[in-house]
Amino acid sequence: MSPFPAALLALPGNERMADALATALALPRVAASVHRFPDGESLVRVDGNVQGRDVILVCTLNQPDDKFVPLFLMAHAAREAGARRVLLVAPYLPYMRQDVRFRAGETVSARHVAAWISSQVDGLITVDPHLHRIHDLAEIYAIPHRVVHAAPALAAWIRAQVARPVLIGPDEESAQWVAEVAQAAQAPHVVLTKTRLGDRKVRIDVPALAPWQGHTPVLVDDIVSTAHTMMEVVQALRQRATPAPVCVAVHAVFARTAYEDLQAAGAGVIVSTDTIAHDSNRIALSAPLAQAIRELL
Ligand code: R5P
């Protein structure tokens, strides 16, 4: 760790994670506030003493468009209050799926968002960013960063909670890390093929799981947003009278009614890590996040 004192600062909604990190790192959490004016603008204020400190902003970035402005203003406020460096812990890193210009006239949002964040903070810590056509955060982030992998924690949960699991990755993108989770959980795995037809429409070829009869299907995905990816697989499996599939997500985005929709589709237990606060959170990542912060400090 750096010889300079550090402190955590939670953007609204991130207090629980910031407190867990403060405990793990034996660091203080300084008070701060964000006031929303009636016109939707934000007023941020650092209330604690950050003079000469490395300030670690904790702000997960689901629903990111609402969060960028207060986050970036808070980074300025911390520097103006005397912070030496400003680091960002964003357990969920957004905009990573727009990693290519899918149609003429679009832009590669992942690159621009990375440039914005890189221009505002001195370092970034996140959990399993969605890396597909961009293979490494270093391709788009110009600042020091650490990536926490949720695989060991997912595997530990599955080993402890699911009898005879067979892990299922819904698409080719999930192949690498589903294999890693499966290996650590000492379970077999299969990877499916997905075609995305729209925001809420996917087609997934679900083969017969005959070799794994008597196993409990465990769907593992990095992001669950509309949950249509998981629902498609859950419905196909339920038609084959498998046990209710366990659904495991790293990032519980769960847009609008996605969580209820997934339950109604026939999912069994639905669990997630705590990168985004949600009722399904069962897998805490504050310990590996604290370790990543130590390394970056
Ligand atoms: C994309 O490839 C991701 O890995 C997820 O499969 C995707 O984000 C899930 O989205 P949704 O829940 O909207 O189907």
Side-chain angles (χ1 to χ4, degrees), residues 12-214:
N14 295 271
E15 294 80 2
R16 186 184 296 204
M17 175 60 86
D19 284 339
L21 294 173
T23 302
L25 293 161
L27 291 176
R29 173 158 84 84
V30 296
S33 61
V34 177
H35 172 73
R36 285 273 183 187
F37 289 112
D39 59 5
E41 294 183 2
S42 298
L43 173 67
V44 307
R45 195 173 58 232
V46 177
D47 292 315
N49 178 14
V50 296
Q51 182 67 43
R53 288 180 182 269
D54 287 338
V55 172
I56 304 155
L57 303 179
V58 183
C59 185
T60 202
L61 286 170
N62 59 314
Q63 302 291 327
D65 294 12
D66 292 340
K67 294 181 179 174
F68 282 140
V69 170
L71 172 63
F72 293 163
L73 289 174
M74 192 66 84
H76 283 289
R79 283 189 219 286
E80 289 161 21
R84 195 181 78 95
R85 282 191 304 179
V86 178
L87 306 181
L88 170 62
V89 176
Y92 176 65
L93 196 61
Y95 276 104
M96 292 300 293
R97 290 180 293 173
Q98 182 73 21
D99 57 358
V100 73
R101 187 174 294 110
F102 291 98
R103 291 182 178 185
E106 294 178 353
T107 189
V108 184
S109 312
R111 291 189 181 279
H112 296 298
V113 169
W116 290 338
I117 293 176
S118 297
S119 69
Q120 303 295 319
V121 295
D122 303 304
L124 169 70
I125 295 131
T126 190
V127 177
D128 286 330
H130 184 81
L131 295 173
H132 183 200
R133 296 165 192 92
I134 294 166
H135 301 110
D136 193 310
L137 273 195
E139 291 175 33
I140 55 172
Y141 276 83
I143 49 176
H145 55 269
R146 290 288 182 280
V147 170
V148 168
H149 296 292
L154 301 187
W157 186 89
I158 292 166
R159 281 187 74 163
Q161 303 295 333
V162 185
R164 302 193 75 203
V166 53
L167 273 55
I168 301 176
D171 50 32
E172 296 87 342
E173 293 148 68
S174 67
Q176 273 190 17
W177 58 279
V178 170
E180 190 185 336
V181 177
Q183 192 182 17
Q186 297 178 327
H189 74 281
V190 283
V191 174
L192 310 180
T193 306
K194 174 170 92 180
T195 310
R196 183 165 285 283
L197 307 168
D199 285 353
R200 293 170 186 278
K201 200 162 173 51
V202 296
R203 189 177 57 229
I204 302 182
D205 301 320
V206 184
L209 291 179
W212 295 286
Q213 214 160 18

Side-chain angles (χ1 to χ4, degrees), residues 97 130 170-171 173 194 196 199 202 221-230:
R97 290 180 293 173
H130 184 81
D171 50 32
E173 293 148 68
K194 174 170 92 180
R196 183 165 285 283
D199 285 353
V202 296
D221 207 352
D222 59 346
I223 302 167
V224 181
S225 176
T226 66
H228 277 265
T229 298
M230 284 210 171

